[in-house]
Amino acid sequence: MSIFSRSLLLSAIITLAAPAQQPIPEKQVEKRVDSLLKQMTLREKIGQLNQLFVFPQPVPGMPSLNDEDIAKGDYGSFLFVSDAAQINRLQHIAVDKSRLHIPLLFGLDVIHGFKTVFPAPIAMAASFDPATVERAQAVAAREASAAGVRWTFAPMVDIARDPRWGRIMEGAGEDPFLGSAIARAQVKGFQGSYIGEPGHVLTSVKHFAGYGAADGGRDYDSSYISDEQLWNVYLPPFHAAVEAGAGTVMSAYMDLNGVPATGNRFLLTDVLRDTWNFQGFVVSDAFAVRDLVTHGFAKDPADAASLSISAGVNMDMGSRTYIDNLETLVKEGRFKETQIERMVRPILAMKIRLGLFETPYVDESATKSIFAASEHKAEARRAAQRSAVLLRNEGALLPLIQGRYSSIAVIGPMADSFIDIRGSWALVDDPTQAISVARGIREKVGNGVRVETAMGCEIRRNVPSMFDMILGVKRGTPLTDQQNTTEIEKAVTLASRSDVSVMVLGETQDMSGEAASRTSLDLPGRQEELLEKVMAIGKPLVLVLLNGRPLSIHWAAEHVPAILEAWYPGAEGGHAVADLLFGDANPGGKLPVTFPRTVGQVPIYYAHTLTHQPEGSPGFVSRYWDEPSSPLYPFGYGLSYTTFKISNLKVENHKVSVDVQNTGARAGDEVVQLYIHQKSGRASRPVRLLKGFERVTLAPGESKTVHFTLTDDELSYWSATDRKWVHDRSDFDVWVGSDSNATLHGNLSPVQ
Ligand code: GLC
């Protein structure tokens, strides 16, 4: 290296040496990037576009880690390395041995916690509490960055209206307004107030875009989305994340309207860069660049590399398609080096903003105390309390009165499971530290109460999950039907000799998440039979659901007096469920997704448009003749151990206010929700659209006035006829209440 470039590089390092307590000025970032690019060879530039997927277990046919390639500068980033010592070791190779000492960027799916597992994202959305979501992701960022993971492949913001799709557990449900609020909170929690803030990480908002609309709810299947639905439903949470400063975006696997997202110029350039002015970089989903050939979109890997990078994907996750093909494409004149540089630039800029050049290593001795911080567990427990949704509480069976019961049966395949309570995407925690429901109850009631468990039945997927393969999970031989019958009998016997039964039913952690779609929404296995047999004993029974997708629990909804939707509540889930069951916490969550009566109703969501024959029209029976058209539980629904009154709605111009009072005998939270309906205009608009919510905590008898402002943007929509955002001068219905069936009504007229 020439003296000139060495001094330039030295000045770069010295200037950046000061710890980045403030964002590095953009001019300085650009100057450093220019200086580096001038020195980089074509191969080194392409190396920055190459991310290696480091599988926890060797996977045949997959590229493996090679130290020499690091020293050559062939990797810009690693995925799935999460151990501080290993990260430091690899970083030393890159910084000490590569020609330009460019540090590696380590990324991981820190979706809902790193070492401290928080409730699954669908649960966090159910809290309707962005501040809690932000705090949760700030804890995850603190732990991940301490280990050297400076980039998370989150938030996942895919709108999902088909519960057959297993990844519904990873997002914020069916609604773009709630989804956008949760997306903003996650970006803020992960990234802090600027990219590079100590203790924070870069985000990657995913999966851009339309992944949740997979045909049949089948993961990875095609999404056919109209422009109207794309702009009004599926894109808004991505736009919210980009506006909140998300540093990177991940392109999705599936084809959107026939064009694979990872080669989709409309999405990655027209929308993301040209319309939204996104300045960060795009990483493909795993092997998605190579898979453009599988899609029948690219004719060969070289074509895939060219199509993907031209569409706007900066970094190739895992497939080596860029590093194996781009150099030749440039040398053959089929691709310009300046185009490569344009894709490298934001990656180098992010590494500089993150401070990786001046502090590429982590302090391995600091990780233990950070991972074990008691305040992290407290945050996880509080988040789980606030995410739970009380679906039923006939006769106020809940909360269970401490001291009333001398024996408690905790029954179900997940009653004492510390694995399942964490949900999917819990990758680097110690599962044995997670608190099962049974353990949470035992610790709550103490030794004076007999708490016994019975599995009742075993449930498992028909085929092993993708994570079993990646994480090397081996499951034993499944129980036979007869063995399950025996387990059911044992559970019934236990319930018969206990004062109360807590049934813990739902889905194991691998039954939702990636590559975990189902054709049914019923309780898997013989859980329904187990539930009905225990219920038939006639003793008090509470149902706790552990699940990542809506379940069509229509029998339970009619026969089980108390039902608590706990989702996958995370490592502190057992403690939080016990807090809720015994009244040390009062459930205040609301459903972020509609619960169908049956899978036959799917897709079913609250923000549907009116037809010429709305429900209940005279002579009109129903859209189905075999089931009501209404859902089992509507979007925004959730009960409390107390009661609330929402009244005195005022709508003046764009200002909406309403009074909410706690009319019960104990403190509790209500989520006051504001919905609008445009009565006429250039399109038939949804009967309800969430345009405001606020979770309030009220003491018994306490009242509060909640205020909302309806902005012009919130009254606008993307018009399929005008092909742009419009704001019709229309009257709007305004409803405010405790779920999407709110009846308290007002009218908003256009400002004269
Ligand atoms: C997976 C997922 C994506 C994840 C990536 C890396 O297949 O689709 O969400 O970030 O690969 O694990």
Side-chain angles (χ1 to χ4, degrees):
M1 177 162 48
S2 73
I3 297 292
F4 168 73
S5 49
R6 184 181 293 279
S7 62
L8 247 186
L9 194 63
L10 206 56
S11 67
I13 290 167
I14 290 166
T15 316
L16 290 173
Q21 298 303 337
Q22 290 303 320
I24 299 169
E26 277 310 302
K27 281 210 178 321
Q28 199 172 309
V29 172
E30 288 315 310
K31 211 168 141 195
R32 298 285 170 270
V33 171
D34 292 340
S35 147
L36 281 166
L37 281 173
K38 283 195 185 77
Q39 303 169 67
M40 293 168 81
T41 64
L42 173 61
R43 179 80 186 185
E44 286 166 339
K45 290 169 190 171
I46 297 168
Q48 291 301 308
L49 309 182
N50 182 37
Q51 179 185 63
L52 180 70
F53 197 136
V54 183
F55 283 90
Q57 314 281 331
V59 175
M62 286 297 169
S64 58
L65 178 56
N66 170 332
D67 289 2
E68 288 68 46
D69 288 347
I70 302 174
K72 273 172 26 190
D74 268 5
Y75 302 123
S77 173
F78 279 67
L79 153 61
F80 256 91
V81 183
S82 60
D83 170 70
Q86 167 78 320
I87 284 175
N88 277 341
R89 184 187 81 77
L90 297 170
Q91 194 70 290
H92 268 293
I93 299 171
V95 173
D96 300 342
K97 296 189 176 168
S98 75
R99 195 175 69 85
L100 292 173
H101 318 291
I102 298 173
L104 296 162
L105 176 57
F106 290 88
L108 181 71
D109 296 281
V110 184
I111 308 289
H112 54 110
F114 185 72
K115 293 293 183 183
T116 306
V117 178
F118 276 76
I122 191 77
M124 296 299 280
S127 72
F128 276 73
D129 183 359
T132 292
V133 172
E134 181 179 336
R135 288 158 59 145
Q137 301 304 33
V139 167
R142 183 164 176 246
E143 293 182 352
S145 57
V149 173
R150 298 300 307 278
W151 185 22
T152 177
F153 302 121
M156 187 276 212
V157 303
D158 299 300
I159 293 292
R161 295 178 161 180
D162 186 335
R164 294 173 294 181
W165 189 54
R167 300 196 79 165
I168 195 169
M169 63 74 66
E170 287 180 60
E174 71 182 62
D175 181 74
F177 186 86
L178 175 63
S180 299
I182 300 297
R184 282 189 286 270
Q186 290 205 57
V187 170
K188 186 79 176 40
F190 277 127
Q191 289 188 170
S193 46
Y194 61 89
I195 289 175
E197 182 177 352
H200 289 274
V201 297
L202 189 61
T203 56
S204 187
V205 58
K206 69 187 185 182
H207 304 79
F208 197 57
Y211 184 26
D215 262 3
R218 291 180 296 274
D219 203 4
Y220 313 131
D221 213 325
S222 304
S223 293
Y224 296 99
I225 305 175
S226 67
D227 287 345
E228 190 275 333
Q229 285 285 290
L230 198 59
W231 287 106
N232 290 317
V233 176
Y234 292 92
L235 290 178
F238 287 97
H239 192 200
V242 167
E243 286 192 319
T248 79
V249 169
M250 181 184 290
S251 64
Y253 282 129
M254 88 295 143
D255 54 290
L256 172 64
N257 302 328
V259 181
T262 296
N264 194 312
R265 185 176 182 78
F266 163 73
L267 282 175
L268 300 171
T269 297
D270 301 352
V271 174
L272 190 58
R273 271 102 172 191
D274 296 353
T275 307
W276 292 349
N277 192 31
F278 174 65
Q279 296 298 314
F281 69 86
V282 174
V283 61
S284 72
D285 203 336
F287 316 109
V289 173
R290 172 202 67 193
D291 294 347
L292 293 181
V293 179
T294 319
H295 271 287
F297 180 67
K299 64 175 182 295
D300 56 31
D303 191 29
S306 176
L307 287 166
S308 179
I309 198 167
S310 305
V313 174
N314 301 71
M315 188 180 284
D316 167 13
M317 180 186 282
S319 80
R320 290 188 60 88
T321 309
Y322 281 8
I323 193 79
D324 290 345
N325 292 281
L326 285 176
E327 202 171 2
T328 308
L329 286 173
V330 170
K331 287 179 175 162
E332 288 173 357
R334 291 162 56 192
F335 210 83
K336 291 193 177 58
E337 185 161 355
T338 49
Q339 283 180 282
I340 302 281
E341 286 192 1
R342 260 205 307 282
M343 302 312 265
V344 174
R345 184 173 284 279
I347 295 170
L348 293 175
M350 282 304 169
K351 291 184 175 183
I352 291 167
R353 292 189 193 102
L354 287 169
L356 286 174
F357 282 83
E358 69 279 14
T359 49
Y361 310 111
V362 288
D363 174 0
E364 294 165 40
S365 67
T367 55
K368 194 164 186 303
S369 59
I370 291 173
F371 296 163
S374 57
E375 65 269 24
H376 293 180
K377 287 184 176 51
E379 278 294 344
R381 182 168 181 165
R382 179 180 172 277
Q385 291 169 355
R386 295 178 72 78
S387 302
V389 181
L390 182 61
L391 297 177
R392 202 168 192 241
N393 194 20
E394 293 302 303
L397 174 59
L398 290 175
L400 300 175
I401 309 300
Q402 282 266 33
R404 175 177 292 181
Y405 307 99
S406 59
S407 55
I408 302 174
V410 188
I411 296 170
M414 294 177 289
D416 210 2
S417 168
F418 50 77
I419 295 274
D420 297 306
I421 201 131
R422 298 142 61 244
S424 183
W425 292 104
L427 300 173
V428 297
D429 66 311
D430 172 0
T432 63
Q433 298 305 304
I435 309 298
S436 70
V437 172
R439 180 174 162 189
I441 291 173
R442 280 196 193 96
E443 292 179 8
K444 177 66 70 180
V445 299
N447 299 330
V449 177
R450 176 169 56 80
V451 177
E452 286 186 71
T453 61
M455 179 171 71
C457 64
E458 179 190 59
I459 58 173
R460 61 166 70 190
R461 292 173 41 134
N462 302 13
V463 287
S465 83
M466 176 190 77
F467 286 101
D468 284 4
M469 182 265 286
I470 291 178
L471 301 174
V473 172
K474 298 276 181 276
R475 296 176 190 273
T477 311
L479 294 189
T480 64
D481 214 31
Q482 181 47 52
Q483 287 170 319
N484 273 311
T485 300
T486 306
E487 292 301 329
I488 290 174
E489 288 161 357
K490 281 161 49 179
V492 170
T493 304
L494 172 63
S496 304
R497 58 186 178 82
S498 302
D499 295 341
V500 62
S501 291
V502 176
M503 304 292 291
V504 185
L505 306 178
E507 296 181 319
T508 51
Q509 54 125 210
D510 61 343
M511 289 181 171
S512 59
E514 184 170 359
S517 296
R518 283 181 73 195
T519 59
S520 162
L521 302 176
D522 294 338
L523 289 167
R526 294 173 61 179
Q527 295 181 98
E528 192 78 43
E529 176 191 350
L530 170 67
L531 176 62
E532 292 181 25
K533 284 183 174 167
V534 173
M535 192 67 215
I537 297 166
K539 291 194 159 186
L541 182 150
V542 174
L543 171 58
V544 174
L545 289 171
L546 299 186
N547 52 304
R549 59 161 49 89
L551 296 175
S552 43
I553 49 165
H554 37 81
W555 187 88
E558 283 172 34
H559 299 89
V560 174
I563 305 174
L564 183 70
E565 173 56 86
W567 313 103
Y568 294 117
E572 284 294 304
H575 285 146
V577 168
D579 293 339
L580 292 158
L581 292 181
F582 288 90
D584 292 333
N586 184 355
K590 301 284 184 176
L591 294 180
V593 63
T594 301
F595 272 46
R597 295 174 186 284
T598 163
V599 70
Q601 290 181 295
V602 170
I604 179 171
Y605 46 91
Y606 85 92
H608 59 82
T609 52
L610 276 174
T611 67
H612 77 295
Q613 282 269 17
E615 293 295 296
S617 305
F620 178 80
V621 179
S622 160
R623 296 183 201 280
Y624 305 109
W625 57 263
D626 60 346
E627 282 279 357
S629 299
S630 58
L632 187 62
Y633 298 111
F635 174 87
Y637 172 83
L639 302 175
S640 169
Y641 295 152
T642 185
T643 51
F644 296 94
K645 184 176 142 216
I646 298 176
S647 60
N648 194 22
L649 171 61
K650 290 182 184 139
V651 182
E652 280 146 28
N653 294 333
H654 286 202
K655 301 289 184 193
V656 179
S657 69
V658 73
D659 295 339
V660 53
Q661 182 184 23
N662 179 342
T663 51
R666 55 178 299 146
D669 286 16
E670 177 59 289
V671 179
V672 181
Q673 300 158 51
L674 163 66
Y675 296 87
I676 65 168
H677 166 243
Q678 178 172 309
K679 292 182 173 178
S680 64
R682 278 170 270 196
S684 167
R685 300 292 296 140
V687 289
R688 301 274 170 117
L689 277 177
L690 181 71
K691 291 295 180 184
F693 63 86
E694 183 175 328
R695 180 167 178 159
V696 295
T697 300
L698 296 171
E702 184 184 5
S703 269
K704 178 179 180 184
T705 301
V706 177
H707 297 272
F708 300 103
T709 300
L710 284 167
T711 64
D712 283 344
D713 280 354
E714 283 159 356
L715 297 175
S716 303
Y717 65 95
W718 192 89
S719 158
T721 43
D722 299 61
R723 304 196 62 73
K724 64 179 183 177
W725 292 92
V726 300
H727 177 184
D728 293 333
R729 287 186 55 74
S730 157
D731 277 339
F732 286 80
D733 292 306
V734 174
W735 287 279
V736 178
S738 56
D739 64 43
S740 54
N741 288 335
T743 53
L744 186 58
H745 178 266
N747 192 68
L748 174 66
S749 299
V751 177
Q752 300 309 329

